Amino acid sequence: MGAGISVFVGITTSFWLIVGCGGKKKKGGAAKPIQSTPPAPPPPPPNVESKMKALEEKEKKEEAKKEEEKKEKSKKSEKKEEKKEDKKEEKKEEKKEDDKKEKSKKSEMKDEEKKEDKDKKDDKKGDEKEKDDEKKEEKEEEKKEGKKEEKKEEKDEDKKEEEKKDEEKKDEKKEDEKKDDEKKEEKKEEPKADEPKPHVTVDPTGDLEFQADKQEQKKITISNSHDKKIMFKLKTSDNLVYLVNPVFGTIEPGKTAEITVTRNKAPAKDAKLVIVNSVFTGDDKDLAKSFKTTKPTGGQVTVKMCAK
């Protein structure tokens, strides 16, 4: 802008110099003589200087405005930053207050829990004291009653001893009766001279031995020694302690059947297993009925069972 203004000023001055130096001829007259004193240079036009000043003032104003705008922008940015910082500080303070509130709540909760625990402990102690007092009172009452009961118990013990003696005598009589019954059964089971031979044989031969202090199983094999199909039935002298499976069955000629004998845990006592056998008649599905309706054709086989 400055270079353009200087060029414009130079052009205007040169123009005015040219116009001022040249003369105009008057109509119908001669030219005036040239004066000896040189003419003064014409002053620069006032419009150019005013325009230059106006332009400079405008530039200064624009620069001032720009600087003011910059200052305002910087102030606004500073204000925004200050506001942000203020908000951050407010948030931090709020967080601190929240933390303080939470801590205070937690402390209050802990205090309440401690109080509740103390109350519970106090209640327990009170209950325990009451229980102890009740127990002491009960013990005192029991002691008083115990003395009375001791006398009664002494009398009851004497009566019980007498009753035990009576029971022992009764048990001895029952055992003697059982022995007599066993002897009678043995006499009944002994083969008579006219009794037919059995149709079966048993393996193993001899007695079956068990342990009395636990449950135990033994197996025996029954073989058909007859030339016809036979049926058998098993009986024990003590069905509570000894169990047999199967109880009924049939065997073809020359074949065998396996029997399982189970002894339950019980006091040591001898028993017997009796095998009733006969030529097959009737129905395989109902052998019990067949034994009831017909007499056995084979002699009984007895196996002794011992427990130790």
Side-chain angles (χ1 to χ4, degrees):
M1 291 291 290
I5 290 164
S6 61
V7 171
F8 179 73
V9 171
I11 292 167
T12 51
T13 51
S14 63
F15 176 75
W16 284 103
L17 288 171
I18 292 164
V19 173
C21 291
K24 292 183 181 180
K25 292 181 179 180
K26 293 182 180 180
K27 294 180 181 181
K32 289 181 179 182
I34 298 168
Q35 293 178 2
S36 61
T37 58
N47 292 330
V48 174
E49 290 180 357
S50 63
K51 287 179 180 180
M52 290 291 289
K53 288 180 181 180
L55 290 170
E56 289 177 358
E57 287 177 356
K58 282 182 181 179
E59 287 178 357
K60 289 179 181 180
K61 286 179 180 180
E62 287 178 356
E63 289 177 358
K65 284 181 181 180
K66 288 179 181 179
E67 288 179 357
E68 288 177 357
E69 288 177 355
K70 287 180 181 179
K71 288 179 181 179
E72 288 178 356
K73 286 181 180 179
S74 63
K75 286 179 181 180
K76 287 180 180 179
S77 62
E78 288 176 358
K79 286 180 180 179
K80 286 181 180 179
E81 289 177 357
E82 287 176 357
K83 286 180 180 179
K84 288 180 181 179
E85 289 177 358
D86 293 335
K87 287 181 180 179
K88 287 180 180 178
E89 289 177 357
E90 287 177 357
K91 287 181 180 179
K92 288 179 180 178
E93 288 177 356
E94 288 177 355
K95 285 182 180 179
K96 288 179 180 179
E97 289 178 357
D98 294 333
D99 294 334
K100 286 179 181 179
K101 288 179 181 179
E102 287 180 358
K103 287 179 181 179
S104 63
K105 286 181 181 179
K106 287 180 181 179
S107 62
E108 288 176 359
M109 292 289 285
K110 287 180 180 178
D111 294 333
E112 289 178 357
E113 289 177 356
K114 288 178 180 179
K115 287 179 181 178
E116 289 178 356
D117 293 333
K118 286 180 180 179
D119 294 334
K120 288 180 181 179
K121 288 178 181 178
D122 293 333
D123 293 334
K124 286 181 180 178
K125 287 179 180 178
D127 294 334
E128 288 175 357
K129 286 180 181 179
E130 289 178 357
K131 287 180 180 179
D132 293 333
D133 294 335
E134 289 177 357
K135 286 179 180 179
K136 287 178 181 178
E137 290 176 357
E138 288 177 357
K139 285 180 180 179
E140 289 177 357
E141 290 178 356
E142 286 176 357
K143 286 179 181 179
K144 290 178 182 179
E145 292 177 355
K147 291 179 181 180
K148 294 178 181 179
E149 288 178 355
E150 283 177 359
K151 293 179 181 180
K152 291 181 180 179
E153 285 176 358
E154 289 177 357
K155 293 179 180 179
D156 294 333
E157 285 177 0
D158 295 333
K159 289 180 180 179
K160 285 179 181 178
E161 287 178 358
E162 290 177 358
E163 289 176 356
K164 284 181 181 178
K165 289 178 181 179
D166 294 334
E167 287 177 358
E168 287 175 357
K169 290 179 180 179
K170 288 179 181 179
D171 292 334
E172 288 176 357
K173 287 181 182 179
K174 286 180 180 178
E175 286 177 0
D176 294 335
E177 289 175 356
K178 284 181 181 179
K179 288 179 181 178
D180 294 335
D181 293 334
E182 287 176 358
K183 288 178 181 178
K184 288 178 182 179
E185 287 178 358
E186 287 176 357
K187 288 179 181 179
K188 288 180 181 178
E189 290 172 359
E190 287 178 357
K192 296 178 181 179
D194 297 334
E195 188 175 356
K197 291 182 179 181
H199 301 324
V200 294
T201 57
V202 180
D203 186 30
T205 58
D207 300 341
L208 289 177
E209 294 183 355
F210 296 89
Q211 292 183 2
D213 59 349
K214 65 178 182 178
Q215 190 182 53
E216 192 176 3
Q217 286 185 344
K218 299 285 185 180
K219 290 185 178 181
I220 60 174
T221 303
I222 301 174
S223 302
N224 184 357
S225 59
H226 200 270
D227 57 356
K228 293 181 181 180
K229 182 180 179 179
I230 62 103
M231 58 184 182
F232 65 87
K233 178 177 71 172
L234 301 176
K235 297 189 295 182
T236 61
S237 60
D238 192 343
N239 292 326
L240 296 175
V241 179
Y242 293 93
L243 304 173
V244 293
N245 186 31
V247 177
F248 295 93
T250 58
I251 308 173
E252 296 291 338
K255 293 189 178 181
T256 61
E258 192 175 63
I259 307 300
T260 302
V261 182
T262 304
R263 186 187 188 281
N264 293 321
K265 184 179 177 180
K269 185 180 177 181
D270 294 339
K272 293 180 181 180
L273 172 66
V274 178
I275 304 170
V276 181
N277 56 92
S278 177
V279 175
F280 174 72
T281 57
D283 187 3
D284 281 327
K285 294 181 180 179
D286 195 357
L287 295 174
K289 188 176 181 181
S290 299
F291 275 101
K292 287 180 181 178
T293 55
T294 59
K295 289 183 179 181
T297 59
Q300 293 182 356
V301 178
T302 303
V303 178
K304 290 184 180 180
M305 297 183 291
C306 305
K308 294 181 181 179

